[in-house]
């Protein structure tokens, strides 16, 4: 449904600011009906990619097609089937929910019975049915986000793009919003691509793409990504993190990594971790503040992938394996 092919985006520099490559040879496919989360540390190019996908910026190089239409040659065709929820609110806070929906309906030439039925349907995915006359500025953050969603849904998009849609929401509103997206994906067969840096949100999506410095470092199902770093890991905290890590490397030959105030031993399998933990405690007990065995989550995968230099050829192989 979405095919991004060898995309590069360079922000031109000036006399004072050097040119900056925000996206570098990125290729990524999203299948019809798939729910994909795009993640990556700040500055990895997510927003730039998002702006390109929704037609707000032209890339320096590369192709994008959506539902078979060339995004740059046939932008109007793409706009017909795409809905976009921006990070900053695009609704008018001083107007009521109903007024916001009416303006959006107008913009898309919806009127009369068709407008009413589209509005009903869109509202059925939200908790806004009894809030129609309320001014948006008086709604909670979660409900205000739902107004954005209802607005976009009225145009029946086949593809929905969202930029950090849950930022600033409390955990319950966040869960409600995501549940609605998942139900929409299933019921309408909608293709969903959203950026997020909250990994709890990514556990039940189809695939997660991890970017860094404009490149795609990993792209796979949450399960496959977690399997990349083994089924278990040993995590410990020490009085001197770097010092203990150095000793574990030198004296025990272990491939450990320091992440924040933790020393981590990744890629251990079920059964290996406990004896390893005991060996470490035997030798280094006075230096260890805490030690535990942990099942890796997507946040651990993210740290693993983004804190390691990945050679370009590894990237090419990964893409072949996981591309659609
Ligand atoms: P993310 O959304 O993942 O944080 P961005 O796409 O915003 O990443 O930024 C990617 C890179 O491009 C960063 O290095 C950022 O500084 C740079 N960048 C973003 N917007 C501009 C701009 N308008 N002009 C110059 N550089 C930019
Ligand atoms: Mg951004």
């Amino acid at each position: 449904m979405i095919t991004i092919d060898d995309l590069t985006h360079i922000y031109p520099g000036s006399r004072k600011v050097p040119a900056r490559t925000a996206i570098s040879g990125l290729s990524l496919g999203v299948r019809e009906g798939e729910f994909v989360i795009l993640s990556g540390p700040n500055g990895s190019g997510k927003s730039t990619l998002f702006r390109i996908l929704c037609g707000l910026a032209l890339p320096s190089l590369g192709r994008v097609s959506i539902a078979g239409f060339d995004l740059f040659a046939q932008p109007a065709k793409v706009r017909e089937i795409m809905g976009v929820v921006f990070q900053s609110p695009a609704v008018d806070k001083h107007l009521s929910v109903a007024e916001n929906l009416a303006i959006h309906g107008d913009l898309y030439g919806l009127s009369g019975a068709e407008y009413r039925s589209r509005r009903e349907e869109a509202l059925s995915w939200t908790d806004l049915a009894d809030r129609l006359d309320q001014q948006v500025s008086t709604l909670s953050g979660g409900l205000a986000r739902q107004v954005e969603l209802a607005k976009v849904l009225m145009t029946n998009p086949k593809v929905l793009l969202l930029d950090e849609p849950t930022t600033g929401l409390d955990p319950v509103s966040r869960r409600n919003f995501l549940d609605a997206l998942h139900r929409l994906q299933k019921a309408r067969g909608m293709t969903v691509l959203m950026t997020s840096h909250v990994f709890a949100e990514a556990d039940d999506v189809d695939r997660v793409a991890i970017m860094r410095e404009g490149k795609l470092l990993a792209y796979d199902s949450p399960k496959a990504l977690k399997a990349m770093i083994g089924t278990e890991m040993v995590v410990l905290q020490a009085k001197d993190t770097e010092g203990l890590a150095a000793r574990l490397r030198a004296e025990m030959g272990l491939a450990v990594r320091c992440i924040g105030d933790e020393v981590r031993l990744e890629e251990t399998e079920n059964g290996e971790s406990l004896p390893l933990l005991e060996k470490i405690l035997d030798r280094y007990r006075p230096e260890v503040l805490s030690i535990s065995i942990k099942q890796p989550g997507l946040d651990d995968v993210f740290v693993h992938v983004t804190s390691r230099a990945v050679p370009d050829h590894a990237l090419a192989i990964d893409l072949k394996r996981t591309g659609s």
Side-chain angles (χ1 to χ4, degrees):
M1 186 54 100
I2 304 176
T3 308
I4 299 168
D5 188 15
D6 211 3
L7 200 71
T8 293
H9 191 73
I10 300 168
Y11 287 107
S14 63
R15 213 169 273 184
K16 285 186 191 142
V17 195
R20 194 174 280 281
T21 305
I23 298 178
S24 168
L26 183 98
S27 298
L28 177 89
V30 180
R31 301 183 193 109
E32 183 168 3
E34 202 172 20
F35 194 140
V36 168
I37 281 192
L38 189 65
S39 66
N42 284 337
S44 54
K46 302 181 297 294
S47 291
T48 303
L49 178 60
F50 192 86
R51 286 163 49 77
I52 291 171
L53 289 179
C54 56
L56 289 176
L58 276 178
S60 316
L61 284 169
R63 290 162 300 278
V64 176
S65 75
I66 295 182
F69 299 114
D70 183 316
L71 175 60
F72 313 119
Q74 302 160 285
K77 287 280 182 200
V78 172
R79 222 165 290 142
E80 275 173 25
I81 55 160
M82 194 160 73
V84 183
V85 176
F86 293 99
Q87 187 166 5
S88 48
V91 291
D92 191 327
K93 291 196 151 206
H94 303 299
L95 298 180
S96 69
V97 174
E99 286 164 338
N100 268 290
L101 296 180
I103 289 172
H104 197 68
D106 244 16
L107 207 64
Y108 279 81
L110 297 172
S111 61
E114 189 184 15
Y115 166 69
R116 284 192 297 276
S117 78
R118 295 264 195 118
R119 191 181 82 164
E120 279 317 294
E121 214 272 336
L123 285 170
S124 72
W125 296 96
T126 68
D127 311 308
L128 294 167
D130 55 352
R131 306 276 187 157
L132 284 173
D133 296 321
Q134 198 172 328
Q135 197 173 317
V136 173
S137 64
T138 65
L139 294 174
S140 68
L143 287 176
R145 284 262 108 175
Q146 291 191 4
V147 181
E148 309 263 344
L149 185 64
K151 215 177 86 172
V152 166
L153 290 180
M154 280 200 313
T155 62
N156 278 339
K158 284 197 169 75
V159 178
L160 186 61
L161 302 181
L162 309 101
D163 195 12
E164 305 265 2
T166 59
T167 298
L169 300 190
D170 64 77
V172 174
S173 309
R174 168 174 283 168
R175 200 59 257 172
N176 284 344
F177 191 84
L178 286 170
D179 284 347
L181 290 183
H182 279 283
R183 281 185 281 118
L184 273 163
Q185 178 213 11
K186 293 208 173 66
R188 286 194 181 181
M190 209 164 60
T191 307
V192 182
L193 176 63
M194 70 178 245
T195 62
S196 174
H197 56 254
V198 182
F199 288 95
E201 294 180 349
D203 263 319
D204 42 10
V205 304
D206 297 309
R207 285 197 283 178
V208 180
I210 303 178
M211 288 175 68
R212 194 190 67 183
E213 289 169 13
K215 293 189 174 154
L216 186 65
L217 298 187
Y219 185 32
D220 218 327
S221 67
K223 196 171 161 216
L225 288 175
K226 284 184 239 175
M228 269 173 54
I229 56 173
T231 51
E232 289 182 346
M233 55 203 252
V234 179
V235 178
L236 56 90
Q237 288 180 303
K239 290 175 190 159
D240 170 13
T241 311
E242 297 286 344
L244 183 60
R247 291 188 64 188
L248 289 169
R249 285 189 200 107
E251 295 166 13
M252 289 184 73
L254 295 172
V256 300
R257 288 155 33 97
C258 290
I259 290 165
D261 63 346
E262 289 179 348
V263 182
R264 291 181 177 206
L265 261 155
E266 292 170 353
E267 290 168 62
T268 61
E269 298 304 323
N270 283 329
E272 289 173 8
S273 310
L274 191 57
L276 202 55
L277 180 151
E278 286 168 347
K279 255 190 241 167
I280 294 171
L281 266 191
D282 269 353
R283 264 176 102 156
Y284 304 103
R285 181 153 219 151
E287 287 159 63
V288 174
L289 294 176
S290 78
I291 184 162
S292 58
I293 294 171
K294 190 182 169 201
Q295 292 200 335
L298 280 175
D299 47 344
D300 300 308
V301 176
F302 182 78
V303 167
H304 175 91
V305 168
T306 58
S307 63
R308 179 186 53 162
V310 172
D312 281 349
H313 61 86
L315 200 65
I317 293 163
D318 244 355
L319 286 178
K320 255 179 227 139
R321 198 168 60 80
T322 60
S324 65

